[in-house]
Amino acid sequence: MRGRISILLVPLAASALLPFAVFRANRIAAGEPRSLIETLGTAGASAALLALGLAIAALMVIRQPLWRLGVAVPLLVSLVLAMGWGAARLGADAPTAARIGPGAGFWIALTLAGLLLIDALARLRPGPAARLGFAAGAVALVWLLLGSGVLAELSVMEEYRSRSAAFWREGGRHLWLAFGSFGVAMAAGVPLGIALARAPRLRQPVLGALTAVQTIPSIALFGMLILPLGWVAANLPGAAALGIRGIGMAPAFVALLLYSLLPIVANTVAGLTGVPRSVTEAADGMGLTRRERLWRVDIPLAAPVIVAAARIVLVQNIGMATVGALIGAGGFGTFVFQGIGQTATDLILLGALPTVALAFVTSAVLDAAAGLLPGAAP
Amino acid sequence: MIEFQSVSKLYDGLAAVDDVSLTLERGTLTAVVGTSGSGKSTLLRMVNRLVEPTSGRVLIDGADTASVPPAQLRRRIGYVIQDTGLFPHWSAARNIATVPELLGWPKAQIRARVRELMEVLQLDPDAIGPRRPHELSGGQAQRVGVARALAARPALLLMDEPFGALDPVIRGQAQADLRRVQRQLGTTVILVTHDMAEAIRLGDRIAVMREGRIEQFAAPAEIIAAPATPFVADLLGEGDRAFRLMSLRPAREIAEPGAAEGPMLPAGSSLAEALAEMIWTGRDRLPIAGPDGRAVGVVRRDAVIRAGRPEAGPE
Amino acid sequence: MRPAGVLRLALLALTAAFLLFPALFAPMLRPLAPPNMPVIYDRASLSSLALSHLALVAAAIIPSALLASALAILVTRPAGAEFLPLSRALVGFGQTFPPVAVLALAVPVVGFGTWPTLIALFLYGLLPIFENALAGLTGVSGAVRLAADGMGMTPGQKLRRVELPLALPLMIEGVRISAVIAVSTAAIGSTVAARSLGEVIIAGLNANNLSFVVQGGLLTAALALIVYEALGMVAEAARNRLGLPAEPASRPAG
């Protein structure tokens, strides 16, 4: 039965036949495919094919997840490096307006190498500390690759260079939107959850209303909040001075806050009501007051479930903050929607890639954090 | 007749069942006793091929089970498990009808069979039949599980800790029901249990397993009187062997002609029950009833105690 | 009728009234529209936009549900078991991928219009359905599986008679989550020229016409709630038919 996963190696091998890079005369021109040989030259392509062949052969034989990981990671890194070198090579004798981006072959190989990596990781089943270490390693590696300048000739990096100031400004706004609204939601949601855990009759209506809010499509909620926030800005003294306006950050912030409440409140309630009765009775029996029991017993035991909610909310916020760009809230979504407007793939990627990376890292870190908590299930 | 011929099962090179050979007679109830991990459930599951032997053969009435497709084989063999495994989305009646449906019986015949079985197991077909498993009590669910296993009139019934999840009162009732139903239908039963008392109470023969091997295979009285290994003796418990033995023999066997004062001992009483009654009421002689309820003789205390010694046992 | 039922009916009636006779609501929206600007969206009828919004969702989610269920069945069979860890991990990774990113990345590949939206809805819809189908299929208790095998069901009979029925409520729940996300993403799809109610909101944002923004927002929200409630009723009906206990009032996410 074992070895069926090797089927993934077939498209990995086939990807070498597809265009490795895409050449554009300028940033919005139609792309022309460039094969592996055209991109890397005969010598470079031979070396790349040899490396790919070796990796595939190794993955066909090796069954140990840790060793498979040891093949998949270098494969992934060398793919990215090859892309960087290829872009530099193609860019060397092209006009400055020309852009070189990854082609279908690169994307397919990257996806499959990623799948093999994920499979090895999933089989390794690392503990929370190891997962945290792996996430840190991945971030460091990406940082190193981006900082080294090997990828500088890639079209996405060209887009970045021409608007690096805007990139970091929008990135800051994106973080503020996602994490700021999350912070406020935690401050409001956890106490609300505690209250609901004690008042079962209010639970259903409140959670029902929050579910309804979560069901509302983001663009609709963003849009509809323009109205009340515009009113607040116009009628509440000092509100406008605080930066509250009908469009912009304020409605996006409030919308994300509203979306965040359901997972936080629901999981706080579930975590607290999930504390085994024997434990709460033992705590009461030892004479803990209600407040002492809450802080020393109930909340520590509910913490993993609440952290799970934090992960869901942050991943959701990071994704939805992109939509905020439509109502002028800024964030990485600005590049995505500008890119869609100009049909500039690289600009879309400039917005989408950091968003996805941010969501991945946040999810991995919080997932591991939940596992490190003392109340976590083993 | 069930024959295990040098059956072994290895998991990662370790033997869960190690070269077991046993022959079980048709119409008997064999209890397989052992601690957890002794391989008793694995042995049982090799009969209906839920587990395939690594080596050796299992024969039913002379035919190798490996020659029959598993699904077909299993439909002929009843199977009862501890957590009942009732299908939660089906009513009790539909659960009982599972195997007849798989075998394609006509609908009317299935309905009649379900009613019949529910009555045999003292489940009200109209009240219990339409209920879902989560609406049944533990004892009811267990009986539905037994009825489901018996639905297609299997000649062989496999039971894996069937009473493990029941409380002691209901368990006693369920054990008595099993004995009654088994005698009534003449079914061959293999019952896996970790409870020696249950094995002694129900088994015609007992197979004691340890680390995949059979330590002893004998009738209950023999196991109590002459445990083959220290492990078997341990499983029996040292202290109350005499009482266990006495609980197996009917008091009628040692009745003498004569008469005695006081309330009569019921017909089916065991030696242990006779002794307990003597201690409780402070009598040396008890009148004992025959099947018709009239006194047939007396049971004397020294006769009871003499009969409780191993050498005085049957065989 | 229970209060929830009354609310559902009122929502449905109001939405239908707005879609069919938007002029009735114009006086209420009048103050939001800038002078000399239309109050009610006039480049397409609201009802046709709502229908095409729903059609987009259905056209993406139905194949999504079929494929995701098939994949979940495959990886829970012995033949596909080797892909189970990978697929579990992928679902976890995939859901950190924002739907908007999927939509945006589809544009360079297939161009503007309905296709990128359909592709994004289809791909993103796979994840919740697959995850829930997997949870449903692997959640069937060991005793029930053992009993099914022990009764002599073939693998196909076990799947059809036991595993799929028991997994069905969770699978429908997955479709429900996917469909709600799809309604939301389809609205954003209007930025790449898909026909949906999002078009009204975006037109309003571009023209600074709050009346468009509000009517588009309300209708899109109503559509999402209707889809959510309708599929919730389907899930409940399935649970009732199977005689399974009702879903607990609150269960932790994650």
Side-chain angles (χ1 to χ4, degrees), chain A residues 120-213:
Chain A
L121 264 183
R123 276 165 206 279
L124 212 52
R125 274 188 269 162
R131 290 208 298 274
L132 216 51
F134 198 82
V139 170
L141 195 62
V142 170
W143 201 261
L144 209 68
L145 280 173
L146 290 176
S148 67
V150 232
L151 304 179
E153 294 303 316
L154 271 180
S155 49
V156 185
M157 295 307 288
E158 302 236 21
E159 290 289 340
Y160 165 73
R161 264 199 304 283
S162 64
R163 58 195 89 213
S164 65
F167 180 85
W168 292 108
R169 186 182 66 239
E170 299 303 347
R173 297 180 130 213
H174 202 105
L175 286 177
W176 166 240
L177 272 177
F179 284 79
S181 61
F182 160 76
V184 178
M186 281 295 273
V190 173
L192 181 58
I194 295 173
L196 289 183
R198 289 176 176 173
R201 267 191 298 165
L202 288 177
R203 221 175 279 165
Q204 203 47 50
V206 173
L207 289 179
L210 291 177
T211 307
V213 170

Side-chain angles (χ1 to χ4, degrees), chain C residues 184-198:
Chain C
S184 179
T185 312
I188 300 169
S190 290
T191 57
V192 299
R195 261 175 67 87
S196 79
L197 285 169

